[in-house]
Amino acid sequence: MAPVNNDLMSSSLNFYALVSGPVPSPFEEDDEYSPADTVPLSVVDLGVLRVPSGRVEACDPFVCLGDGPVFEVEPGDYPVRATIADVSDERDGSHEREAYLSLVLRDVEAADVEEARPVSGTGLIAVDAGLVAFVDHEAVATAMPEDQTTWYDDVIETGEPDCWFSLLYSSEHYREGAANIVMPLAQAGENVVMSGAGWGDGVYPVMLTRDADGLPHGLHIDLGMFAWDDEEDDDGDER
């Protein structure tokens, strides 16, 4: 897999999608999280997302599937990977949080990062169920039941082993807290790939990395593990 290069890692952007190994900690040394000066990252393969329409959507799959921002890519099948941060909580010990969910457009080294520009929507994902996902936007209309009011009870949480909720929290399906699921009316393997949002509910941006030639390298849902380190809120207080 392609790591973000060292120049990008050492920049003030603090952007570590698809990076494995220790990176500078986003937490203060006296913070309850990770008093060490580095945080170890690992990259988890979540299989492939089918995007035959070339219109990929980023969303909270339990709450706003079909209504998230949409980005144009070349039609095709793309690997999806989650970058996981192993943070240490003095109360609970070591545990993992998702830092990025990435759609890998080209398996080469990234050289730059910017905000992704959607063809529809704002480019920000509103998360209300603690989850983020990538899906082919056009496939939602054809591979999900027409009545959206039935999705939660009939697809997401039926209690059956193959329902979305069960697969999401099955340690035998990729990893607990992530899933790659074929939609119920799929005719050609149309699927949704999802993972937990490391800090839970909130609003998260989608970022675009480019390679050294300026070509798109990946779309990344940035879950705020690092990006909020030095930012200030409207009252001037650091987040």
Side-chain angles (χ1 to χ4, degrees):
M1 61 191 62
V4 174
N5 67 27
N6 290 331
D7 290 339
L8 185 58
M9 287 177 57
S10 63
S11 77
S12 61
L13 296 171
N14 294 334
F15 194 78
Y16 305 112
L18 304 179
V19 171
S20 294
V23 299
S25 172
F27 309 110
E28 299 292 338
E29 289 192 5
D30 60 354
D31 197 291
E32 62 180 342
Y33 294 104
S34 190
D37 58 2
T38 62
V39 170
L41 300 182
S42 58
V43 180
V44 177
D45 187 355
L46 300 181
V48 170
L49 178 71
R50 303 216 64 210
V51 193
S53 74
R55 293 169 58 84
V56 63
E57 176 185 328
C59 65
D60 180 331
F62 282 16
V63 177
C64 60
L65 183 68
D67 294 326
V70 177
F71 305 87
E72 284 190 343
V73 299
E74 290 293 325
D77 297 346
Y78 296 101
V80 179
R81 296 171 184 152
T83 304
I84 309 296
D86 186 355
V87 296
S88 177
D89 187 319
E90 293 180 349
R91 298 165 298 180
D92 300 328
S94 180
H95 63 282
E96 297 179 334
R97 290 184 183 273
E98 299 87 354
Y100 306 92
L101 184 65
S102 300
L103 184 77
V104 180
L105 303 177
R106 302 182 71 241
D107 211 357
V108 296
E109 190 173 89
D112 200 4
V113 62
E114 64 193 55
E115 293 183 2
R117 298 181 180 180
V119 294
S120 68
T122 65
L124 297 173
I125 303 170
V127 173
D128 198 37
L131 300 170
V132 291
F134 286 115
V135 65
D136 186 304
H137 177 69
E138 303 300 329
V140 176
T142 60
M144 290 293 290
E146 184 176 356
D147 186 354
Q148 295 186 19
T149 65
T150 69
W151 289 1
Y152 196 85
D153 291 336
D154 293 348
V155 177
I156 294 173
E157 194 172 4
T158 65
E160 297 298 321
D162 61 348
C163 77
W164 291 14
F165 190 88
S166 296
L167 291 172
L168 180 65
Y169 293 104
S170 169
S171 60
E172 299 178 357
H173 180 80
Y174 290 93
R175 71 184 300 270
E176 188 171 352
N180 185 327
I181 304 173
V182 176
M183 290 185 280
L185 304 182
Q187 298 297 310
E190 298 91 337
N191 60 331
V192 54
V193 184
M194 65 186 75
S195 80
W199 292 123
D201 297 346
V203 178
Y204 299 102
V206 180
M207 307 299 290
L208 172 70
T209 46
R210 296 183 181 275
D211 68 9
D213 295 322
L215 298 174
H217 160 268
L219 286 171
H220 314 271
I221 302 174
D222 185 342
L223 296 166
M225 180 64 65
F226 299 95
W228 299 350
D229 184 25
D230 296 322
E231 291 184 4
E232 294 185 353
D233 60 23
D234 293 339
D235 296 325
D237 298 326
E238 287 191 2
R239 296 178 182 175

